[in-house]
Amino acid sequence: MADTTEPQETPATMTKAKLSPPAGDSTLKEETATEDTAKSAPTDPKAALAARMARFKTLQAQKESGRKATEKEVRDAEDRSARLTQISKLQDAHDKASYKLLKSTDPDFERKRNWDYTVEESESWDKRMAKKARSRDNVAFADYTQEANKIYKRQIKQMSAVDLAAYAASKAEKLQRQVQNGQLKLIESPDGDLYTVNPLNNQINTPAEESYSHDHKPSKEAIDKLVDDLDKGERARLKARAARGIRDEQDTGDVTYINQKNKQFNDKLTRFYNKYTTEIRENFERGTAI
């Protein structure tokens, strides 16, 4: 028969069983230790304030170091820019001095330098220099006709590119309309080419003069261009007045002059004789003058 008696526990086995804790007790002990550590943390207000002050001073130090680093970079960039400008000026001065030295030492310097240019380039340069000299000599005011001519030429140079296709289409439409109205005659040449002739002056392919019918409406682009030109002229006028020392804000008050010269003369009179005529002018203003 098999032995069914249960094994008896020895004192050593009982001691080991008592000493070995269960598996769930380790986690409980860790949580207890954490709570004890949290409870043992400093809860003194002074200590917490000191910690915050230390953190604040650290942040202030970081901010100050960042500011100093930024200022240093800005100064370095400005110094680099100033150095580059100075180097550029020194290089220009060196080039001019070298040119003057070579020109003074070698009598054939200009002729040798022109070897690098073609005849066409040399002639174009001479024409450009002559035109520039004429423009410089023609700066002084001569008469209003010459002044208007200069302004006209300057405005022609500043004009944008003309739409030749739109101009040709408008001209062809006008010629066709005048041929239909009988103002122009349409003639065919022996070669089969068609052209218009004005019977009054025998002009070919030229629209006849018409009276203005007040039905023309300019485009928005043309209106904007006209406004821009007017604004540009006004800015140029104000700039010229400012260059002569004239300001629009000086024209406030009573206008006692007819032109700028008269205004300067009145200002001179006021500067020299105002102290003698103050009482008389005040009496006139009060109406008590005799």
Side-chain angles (χ1 to χ4, degrees):
M1 293 180 64
D3 190 4
T4 58
T5 59
E6 296 180 357
Q8 296 180 357
E9 295 181 355
T10 60
T13 305
M14 294 174 63
T15 305
K16 288 181 180 180
K18 290 180 181 181
L19 292 177
S20 59
D25 292 346
S26 61
T27 306
L28 182 61
K29 286 185 177 181
E30 290 177 358
E31 293 178 356
T32 306
T34 305
E35 292 178 358
D36 294 341
T37 305
K39 290 180 180 180
S40 61
T43 57
D44 188 7
K46 294 183 178 180
L49 180 61
R52 286 197 297 270
M53 287 298 297
R55 176 63 177 168
F56 178 68
K57 290 182 179 180
T58 304
L59 294 175
Q60 278 188 329
Q62 292 177 357
K63 176 185 175 182
E64 187 67 19
S65 62
R67 185 184 63 80
K68 290 181 179 180
T70 303
E71 290 180 353
K72 184 177 182 301
E73 292 180 359
V74 171
R75 286 195 300 270
D76 293 343
E78 292 177 352
D79 292 342
R80 284 194 299 270
S81 178
R83 285 196 298 270
L84 290 176
T85 304
Q86 188 175 5
I87 290 173
S88 177
K89 290 181 179 180
L90 291 175
Q91 184 64 34
D92 293 341
H94 178 267
D95 294 341
K96 291 180 180 179
S98 301
Y99 172 76
K100 290 181 179 180
L101 180 62
L102 291 173
K103 190 174 181 180
S104 61
T105 55
D106 190 358
D108 295 335
F109 173 73
E110 291 292 342
R111 185 173 63 85
K112 292 179 180 178
R113 191 179 66 165
N114 291 333
W115 290 350
D116 298 333
Y117 305 102
T118 63
V119 177
E120 292 79 7
E121 291 175 346
S122 180
E123 291 178 353
S124 176
W125 178 259
D126 292 339
K127 290 180 180 179
R128 182 180 176 184
M129 290 294 102
K131 184 178 180 180
K132 188 175 181 180
R134 287 195 304 270
S135 300
R136 185 173 56 250
D137 297 338
N138 199 25
V139 166
F141 177 82
D143 52 29
Y144 288 102
T145 303
Q146 185 178 0
E147 191 71 15
N149 188 26
K150 289 193 297 183
I151 294 175
Y152 172 74
K153 289 183 177 180
R154 183 173 67 248
Q155 290 177 348
I156 290 296
K157 291 180 181 179
Q158 295 174 354
M159 282 181 61
S160 58
V162 180
D163 191 356
L164 297 179
Y167 169 74
S170 176
K171 181 179 179 181
E173 181 182 357
K174 189 173 183 180
L175 289 174
Q176 183 179 2
R177 187 180 68 253
Q178 291 184 354
V179 167
Q180 294 175 355
N181 295 337
Q183 294 177 332
L184 300 177
K185 292 182 180 181
L186 186 62
I187 298 177
E188 183 177 359
S189 65
D191 298 333
D193 297 333
L194 295 176
Y195 58 92
T196 62
V197 176
N198 191 341
L200 298 178
N201 50 21
N202 296 327
Q203 290 182 347
I204 299 175
N205 288 335
T206 303
E209 295 183 1
E210 297 177 343
S211 59
Y212 187 66
S213 58
H214 303 281
D215 58 351
H216 174 68
K217 183 177 181 181
S219 62
K220 185 178 182 302
E221 291 78 10
I223 296 175
D224 294 340
K225 186 176 183 302
L226 176 61
V227 172
D228 293 339
D229 291 341
L230 293 176
D231 291 342
K232 187 175 181 180
E234 183 66 16
R235 289 194 298 269
R237 186 185 69 83
L238 295 177
K239 185 178 180 181
R241 286 170 59 87
R244 296 195 302 267
I246 306 171
R247 297 292 188 274
D248 288 342
E249 56 268 16
Q250 295 177 358
D251 296 340
T252 58
D254 296 335
V255 179
T256 59
Y257 51 89
I258 58 175
N259 52 32
Q260 192 61 32
K261 284 291 184 181
N262 182 241
K263 181 177 182 299
Q264 294 176 359
F265 182 75
N266 292 345
D267 292 340
K268 188 180 295 185
L269 291 178
T270 302
R271 186 166 60 251
F272 285 101
Y273 299 104
N274 192 30
K275 56 184 178 181
Y276 304 112
T277 60
T278 302
E279 184 178 356
I280 299 174
R281 284 186 289 104
E282 290 178 353
N283 292 336
F284 273 112
E285 292 175 359
R286 289 195 302 264
T288 58
I290 301 175

